[in-house]
């Protein structure tokens, strides 16, 4: 009878898959895309941008990439940006707008 | 052929002998905080390091909580790591103690067992280690100085076995073992190296092969992580035996998970742990000489619990007098008795089990205490009663 | 097996005596065990230490309740501690005292055999400090035949080092050669 009662948990790891000492390989965050958490995305006005790097420094998730001396701006990786808006808040030129995502 | 050591016995305090054994084991890091009655162990180790006799890092931390944190760090860096503590120090350390086995860090810790306050008491019983009973470490109780010395080396061998990778607590009674001067045979350094090669592991923090340790384990992981660690702890038992057997091959001293003394045809068996078992053996001899069918079973390995070995050792005894050195406030008996009673419950011919609390907070345990508990176990057992618990000698 | 109990005061070396005697016995091929009555260690407070020496391995770990020999390092302890408690019939007391045995016996009501040694005088003359441990070891070793001056040499050297060991050896031997036992 009791066999028919399902007590397993969806998504639970298997005991045999627990690594010795419950460790993890580094860099696994890369596989965990958090972009879909976002309700608003940062949109940069490159005309006003002075390439100061505040967005890059302040971003709590490190999603901004330096596009280099030629391009002279930082680009948010939208696969990971959670839409917190810290970049827009800290931008000294107020050139980042948080634009609501269309669902 | 017995490859016994040729060395002459040395008269030395057991605490110092343990430190010398840790030196022979070539520990690479010792992080500890002094506390009576453990202090002499780490004091001597700090001397050995300062004098250049032991090539190790001695970390004089500011608390036991830090001691275990430092030990976990050094073990996670791949270093052979030792610490020691007692009583309040152990429970102050407790937060970290529970983490080490989950991280599978093969630290060795000597615990010179001492009562837990209050009232403030520096003397021996088992309330310190019993308060962290469920910490997940392999736990061994030493009986005498020779064993405490040998176990200091054997514990590393067990802990670092690739099939084990678990920390080991080596319990020794505070004062009544730690502060005794006894004859000790020290294993020779080259033989120790043969028995215990340098600790080499992949399970370490390495900048060339990075990994994360000490992770969050949510509801989808926690149960499985706990089971994985417990499976490993349970599975360590044959490797403990193997470490004992290989020690015997090289050094000639054979240890077992459970020791039996004069239990053949015994009607009553005393079950005990730690150094008072030696006094119990003397009491057994005296009772045997008076025609009493009595024997002694001693648990050397406490975790993982040697279930089958204990059952076999108890055999067909009618009465068990189980000794506890700690009790469980609000529960009718002590932890050792509770576990043995639980294990024997399903046996068809289970013995009548009585539980006796001896030697609390340093009260001396002379041999007549064992004569007394054997008498009481028979007296109560013969009425068919189960579940007797008695604080022996309590002055009401 | 011979069981010995030491009485002294913290700092006089009762514990050291028991330890060194055990080390001497072990060094000469016997089995031995020594331990103090554990507790906070305070200079001047009464202290007890225990010693067992045997030809067989020693298992018993209880305190010594019925000693064969009692060693009193400081006679003032006799007024505050019942030093002959549990002493076996035919047992021996070795007391650091310059007084005649009869007067000690009368004053404290001791009924067992007594041997005396003026350990304080020897300690002050040889060691220049009122620490009577090695003197009392010499007295004990002679009275009970548990060690010889040669056997004690190495343990004394290990404990006291080359600067102090020779004086302690001398103190040991003075007592060894001069202890007065009752007939």
């Amino acid at each position: 009878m009791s066999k028919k009662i399902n007590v397993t948990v969806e998504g639970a790891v298997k005991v045999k898959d627990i690594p010795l000492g419950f460790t993890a390989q580094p860099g696994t965050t890369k596989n965990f895309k958090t972009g879909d958490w976002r309700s608003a995305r940062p949109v940069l006005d490159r005309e006003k941008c002075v390439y100061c790097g505040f967005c890059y420094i302040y971003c709590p998730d490190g999603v901004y990439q330096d596009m280099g001396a030629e391009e002279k701006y930082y680009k948010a990786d939208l696969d990971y940006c959670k839409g917190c808006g810290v970049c827009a808040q800290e931008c000294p030129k107020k050139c980042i707008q948080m634009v609501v995502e269309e669902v | 052929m017995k490859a016994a050591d040729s060395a002459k016995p040395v008269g030395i305090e057991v605490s110092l002998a343990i430190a010398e054994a840790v030196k022979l084991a070539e520990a690479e890091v010792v992080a500890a905080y002094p506390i009576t009655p453990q202090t002499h162990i780490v004091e001597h180790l700090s001397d050995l390091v300062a004098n250049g006799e032991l090539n190790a890092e001695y970390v004089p931390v500011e608390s036991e909580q830090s001691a275990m944190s430092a030990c976990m760090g050094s073990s996670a860096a791949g270093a052979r790591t030792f610490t020691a503590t007692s009583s309040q120090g152990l429970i102050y350390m407790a937060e970290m103690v529970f983490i080490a086995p989950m991280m599978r860090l093969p630290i060795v810790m000597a615990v010179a067992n001492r009562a837990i306050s209050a009232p403030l008491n520096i003397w021996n019983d088992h309330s310190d280690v019993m308060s962290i009973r469920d910490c997940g470490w392999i736990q061994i109780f030493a009986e005498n100085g020779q064993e405490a010395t040998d176990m200091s080396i054997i514990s590393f061998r067990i802990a670092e076995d690739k099939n084990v990778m678990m920390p080991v607590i080596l319990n020794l009674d505070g004062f009544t073992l730690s502060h005794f001067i006894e004859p000790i045979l020290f294993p020779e350094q080259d033989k120790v190296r043969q028995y215990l090669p340098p600790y080499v592991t992949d399970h370490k923090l390495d900048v060339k092969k990075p990994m994360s340790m000490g992770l969050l384990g949510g509801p989808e992981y926690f149960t499985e992580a706990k089971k994985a660690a417990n499976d490993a702890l349970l599975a360590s038992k044959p490797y403990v035996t193997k470490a004992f057997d290989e020690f015997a091959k090289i050094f000639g001293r054979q240890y077992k998970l459970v020791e039996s003394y004069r239990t053949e045809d015994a009607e009553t068996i005393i079950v005990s742990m730690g150094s008072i078992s030696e006094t119990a053996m003397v009491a057994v001899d005296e009772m045997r000489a008076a025609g009493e069918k009595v024997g002694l079973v001693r648990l050397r390995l406490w975790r993982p619990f040697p279930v089958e070995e204990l059952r076999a050792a108890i055999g067909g005894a009618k009465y068990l007098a189980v000794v506890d050195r700690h009790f469980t406030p609000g529960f009718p008996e002590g932890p050792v008795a509770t576990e043995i009673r639980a294990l024997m419950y399903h046996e068809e011919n289970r013995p009548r089990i009585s539980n006796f609390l001896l030697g609390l907070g340093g009260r001396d345990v002379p041999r007549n205490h064992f004569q007394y508990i054997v008498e009481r176990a028979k007296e109560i057992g013969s009425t068919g009663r189960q579940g007797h618990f008695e604080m022996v000698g309590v002055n009401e | 097996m011979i069981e010995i109990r030491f009485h002294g005061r913290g700092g006089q070396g009762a514990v050291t005596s028991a330890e060194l005697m055990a080390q001497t016995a072990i060094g000469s091929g016997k089995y031995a065990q020594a331990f103090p009555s554990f507790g906070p260690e305070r200079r001047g407070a009464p202290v007890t230490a225990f010693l067992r020496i045997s030809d067989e391995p020693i298992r018993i770990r209880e305190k010594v309740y019925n000693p064969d020999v009692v060693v009193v390092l400081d006679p003032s302890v006799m007024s505050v501690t019942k030093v002959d408690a549990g002493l076996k019939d035919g047992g021996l007391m070795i007391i650091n005292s310059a007084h005649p045995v009869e007067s000690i016996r009368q004053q404290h009501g001791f009924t067992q055999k007594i041997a005396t040694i003026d350990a304080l005088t020897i300690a002050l003359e040889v060691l220049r400090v009122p620490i009577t441990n090695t003197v009392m070891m010499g007295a004990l070793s002679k009275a009970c035949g548990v060690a010889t001056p040669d056997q004690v040499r190495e343990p004394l050297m290990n404990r006291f080092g080359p600067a102090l060991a020779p004086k302690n050896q001398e103190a040991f031997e003075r007592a060894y050669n001069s202890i007065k036992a009752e007939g």
Side-chain angles (χ1 to χ4, degrees), chain B residues 374-385:
Chain B
V374 166
E375 284 304 308
R376 291 289 286 156
K378 276 166 53 188
E379 209 171 278
I380 292 148
S382 61
T383 67
R385 232 178 93 198

Side-chain angles (χ1 to χ4, degrees), chain B residues 160-238:
Chain B
E160 296 169 5
D161 188 314
K162 294 259 182 297
N163 301 295
V164 177
M165 289 299 283
M166 275 285 173
V168 177
I169 289 176
L170 170 57
N171 291 288
L172 67 150
D173 287 311
F175 291 120
T176 56
L177 181 51
S178 66
H179 283 50
F180 267 54
I181 304 271
E182 294 184 23
I184 306 286
L185 282 163
F186 283 103
E188 289 165 24
Q189 183 69 75
D190 56 341
K191 287 186 187 170
V192 173
R193 280 189 192 132
Q194 182 194 333
Y195 176 73
L196 180 70
Y199 176 45
V200 179
T201 184
D202 290 333
H203 182 56
K204 64 173 180 183
L205 298 171
D206 182 346
V207 286
K208 294 194 196 95
K209 255 173 74 184
M211 77 165 129
S212 301
M213 285 186 172
L215 308 177
L216 178 82
E220 300 85 2
Y221 284 85
F222 194 80
T223 306
E224 287 71 21
K226 285 293 178 189
K227 177 143 197 311
N230 189 46
D231 286 350
L233 182 60
L234 291 170
S236 70
K237 200 174 76 171

Side-chain angles (χ1 to χ4, degrees), chain C residues 153-170:
Chain C
R153 203 175 303 276
E154 195 184 319
L156 289 184
M157 185 58 78
N158 291 340
R159 172 61 66 108
F160 298 110
L164 293 174
K167 288 285 178 196
N168 279 285
Q169 183 74 29
E170 188 187 335

Side-chain angles (χ1 to χ4, degrees), chain B residues 8-11 123 143-145 175-177 179-183 261 275 278-279 281-282 364-367, chain C residues 3 19 22-23 26-28 30-36 38-40 52 58-63 65 159:
Chain B
K8 229 177 103 189
V10 179
W123 294 272
E143 180 175 73
N144 56 37
F175 291 120
T176 56
L177 181 51
H179 283 50
F180 267 54
I181 304 271
E182 294 184 23
Y261 183 70
S275 66
E278 295 220 307
T279 305
M281 285 156 94
V282 176
D364 197 29
V365 185
R367 73 198 96 161
Chain C
E3 295 186 295
E19 287 181 9
Q23 286 168 339
I26 292 165
S28 55
K30 290 186 178 129
Y31 294 91
Q33 173 198 73
F35 56 103
F38 315 111
R52 293 187 170 100
I58 301 168
R59 280 180 175 151
I60 193 92
R61 277 175 192 277
E62 63 186 39
K63 288 178 188 171
Y65 292 99
R159 172 61 66 108

Side-chain angles (χ1 to χ4, degrees), chain A residues 9-15 18-27, chain B residues 102-104 203 210-213 215-217 220-221 224-225 228 231:
Chain A
V9 172
E10 191 73 21
V13 68
K14 280 192 166 20
V15 172
I18 298 280
L20 184 114
F22 200 64
T23 57
Q25 293 305 308
Chain B
M102 290 306 296
M103 291 174 70
R104 309 289 296 275
H203 182 56
M211 77 165 129
S212 301
M213 285 186 172
L215 308 177
L216 178 82
E220 300 85 2
Y221 284 85
E224 287 71 21
D231 286 350

